[in-house]
Amino acid sequence: MKISFFSAKPYDRTFFGRLNETFGFEFIFYETHLGPHIVNVVEASDAVCAFVNDKLSAEVLGALANRGVKYIAMRCAGFNNVDLDAARKYGLRVCRVPSYSPEAVAEHALAMMLTLNRKTHKAYNRVREQNFSLNGLMGFNLHGKTIGVVGTGNIGKAFIRLMSGFGCELLAYDLAEDDALKAAGVRYTPLSELYSRADVISLHCPLTEDTKHLINPASLKLMKPGVMIINTSRGGLIDTTAALEGLRSKRIGYLGIDVYEQEEKLFFRDLSQTILDDDAIQLLMSFPNVLVTGHQAFFTAEALEEIASTTLTNLSRLSQGLNPENPAALLV
Ligand code: NAI
């Protein structure tokens, strides 16, 4: 099987290359993201392996099907960038990696929380200049605070496991409540109550039509002044303009984002020599209480190994007429 990888980075080549010793597939790596600009010039292949910011619109999927592609393998969990109806229409099978390492993402969310709170990123720079003053570095105890988790799937659960060690009250909101979490002391509440009671809100639901701009002027109004919001899920969950306004009015006391609405033009690239054509991210990065990371929550060795292994196993099974081992991996 010939597989074309888009948005391929050196670490993709390393991890997929290593795993391929057992599969023996043929790989073509494209550094560019997948979109209408490239779809008609790529080499013919049986499968396309894509990532979070590739655009798998109806136009792109139609063109891929015309060029003989049969399988789309997302090497990620989220699939908001794939037009599944179009994939069905063009007879493409689509799979993903539903749960490669929830702990990787949950641990990054926690790292963002602790960094914003205890300002270790500022302390690091300060002491390097022999400035040992503590002014401006004061944080707050997480112990006894209320944490609101939106989305209690694999990552939300892993995040709750971590937070339960801090002695926090845990509130959750999801379309489906989890009995094991309830038994462990997590309390499901309506979203409005979670917003009004939580000191920290961490987003772990997928980006869908329902969750787009979940954080907006109306939801922000319900939140505690000075709330901390952490988003390691998808950028579209937060209305960036509303977040900027929330920061200016101090409704948002801390904002940690690993994902950003307009990230596809920025993230996963070294733009250090470039003038950014995105005023919103510049503004966000200028706030002292905002921490931005470039979609790195998934980025651990364990997660990359699992992503490569599951993706290649999914493709191997699909090519043999079998479904992926995990039913949640099959999208179409
Ligand atoms: P999951 O599918 O296990 O859990 C998602 C949960 O969200 C489910 O329990 C679902 O019922 C809930 N949900 C769906 N719609 C909702 C709504 N309208 N309101 C509240 N809850 C809702 O997914 P998982 O593995 O926990 O991943 C969550 C998200 O994290 C993914 O969709 C992806 O966007 C993001 N992600 C980010 C990564 C990063 O590197 N920053 C890496 C991996 C995933």
Side-chain angles (χ1 to χ4, degrees):
M1 181 187 311
K2 208 189 232 188
I3 309 173
S4 293
F5 288 74
F6 290 88
S7 306
K9 300 290 175 200
Y11 45 84
D12 293 315
R13 290 173 191 255
T14 305
F15 279 84
F16 277 91
R18 199 184 293 154
L19 259 286
N20 197 33
E21 284 164 21
T22 40
F23 289 89
F25 294 141
E26 189 183 335
F27 291 164
I28 309 165
F29 290 103
Y30 294 97
E31 280 179 32
T32 176
H33 71 272
L34 176 58
H37 68 291
I38 179 121
V39 73
N40 287 311
V41 294
V42 296
E43 248 184 76
S45 59
D46 307 291
V48 155
C49 183
F51 197 49
V52 292
N53 290 327
D54 290 315
K55 277 210 163 28
L56 294 111
S57 60
E59 179 191 357
V60 169
L61 293 172
L64 289 175
N66 272 340
R67 298 178 75 80
V69 170
K70 297 184 220 47
Y71 312 109
I72 306 288
M74 299 305 294
R75 55 179 190 281
C76 52
F79 52 90
N80 50 287
N81 50 337
V82 191
D83 185 332
L84 296 181
D85 290 334
R88 238 171 251 120
K89 177 172 149 199
Y90 294 118
L92 293 162
R93 308 296 311 277
V94 185
C95 58
R96 64 169 179 144
V97 187
S99 175
Y100 45 86
S101 178
E103 288 76 19
V105 183
E107 287 171 16
H108 191 76
L110 173 60
M112 295 193 98
M113 244 175 95
L114 292 174
T115 304
L116 277 167
N117 176 9
R118 305 307 296 267
K119 303 171 181 65
T120 40
H121 55 320
K122 294 185 184 183
Y124 174 81
N125 287 326
R126 225 181 244 201
V127 296
R128 283 161 68 92
E129 293 188 0
Q130 301 175 33
N131 176 356
F132 301 102
S133 148
L134 299 183
N135 293 335
L137 296 183
M138 191 166 63
F140 59 86
N141 278 12
L142 279 168
H143 185 90
K145 294 294 182 300
T146 302
I147 313 292
V149 180
V150 182
T152 53
N154 293 311
I155 297 171
K157 279 196 191 82
F159 181 72
I160 284 171
R161 278 197 295 276
L162 296 176
M163 292 319 301
S164 52
F166 280 81
C168 296
E169 182 190 10
L170 291 161
L171 302 182
Y173 174 77
D174 197 304
L175 303 179
E177 301 189 357
D178 184 281
D179 289 337
L181 287 184
K182 285 203 261 188
V186 175
R187 203 160 70 72
Y188 280 91
T189 66
L191 208 41
S192 55
E193 185 183 339
L194 183 148
Y195 286 154
S196 65
R197 294 209 36 228
D199 300 293
V200 178
I201 296 173
S202 195
L203 304 177
H204 298 292
C205 59
L207 175 63
T208 63
E209 277 177 20
D210 290 341
T211 60
K212 187 172 160 57
H213 288 183
L214 196 69
I215 306 301
N216 58 42
S219 56
L220 282 168
K221 227 180 243 170
L222 299 175
M223 293 178 198
K224 278 188 174 175
V227 64
M228 180 188 288
I229 301 176
I230 305 289
N231 186 10
T232 54
S233 201
R234 282 294 178 268
L237 297 181
I238 297 185
D239 172 351
T240 308
T241 311
L244 284 167
E245 192 39 50
L247 285 159
R248 278 192 206 100
S249 69
K250 302 197 173 67
R251 173 71 55 167
I252 302 178
Y254 311 81
L255 179 67
I257 54 171
D258 183 52
V259 285
Y260 168 61
E261 256 190 312
Q262 315 295 344
E263 72 177 49
E264 69 214 42
K265 295 196 194 114
L266 304 172
F267 286 8
F268 305 111
R269 293 170 211 183
D270 177 359
L271 301 176
S272 51
Q273 305 301 316
T274 311
I275 308 292
L276 294 188
D277 184 19
D278 183 327
D279 293 347
I281 193 94
Q282 301 269 33
L283 254 176
L284 279 174
M285 292 188 303
S286 72
F287 281 90
N289 51 351
V290 174
L291 179 64
V292 181
T293 54
H295 208 135
Q296 72 172 83
F298 74 101
F299 199 54
T300 67
E302 290 81 357
L304 289 181
E305 177 111 21
E306 189 57 38
I307 288 171
S309 162
T310 306
T311 304
L312 296 183
T313 307
N314 284 345
L315 283 172
S316 167
R317 290 179 68 90
L318 286 176
S319 70
Q320 296 169 61
L322 302 168
N323 284 342
E325 282 161 5
N326 180 347
L330 187 64
L331 297 172
V332 176

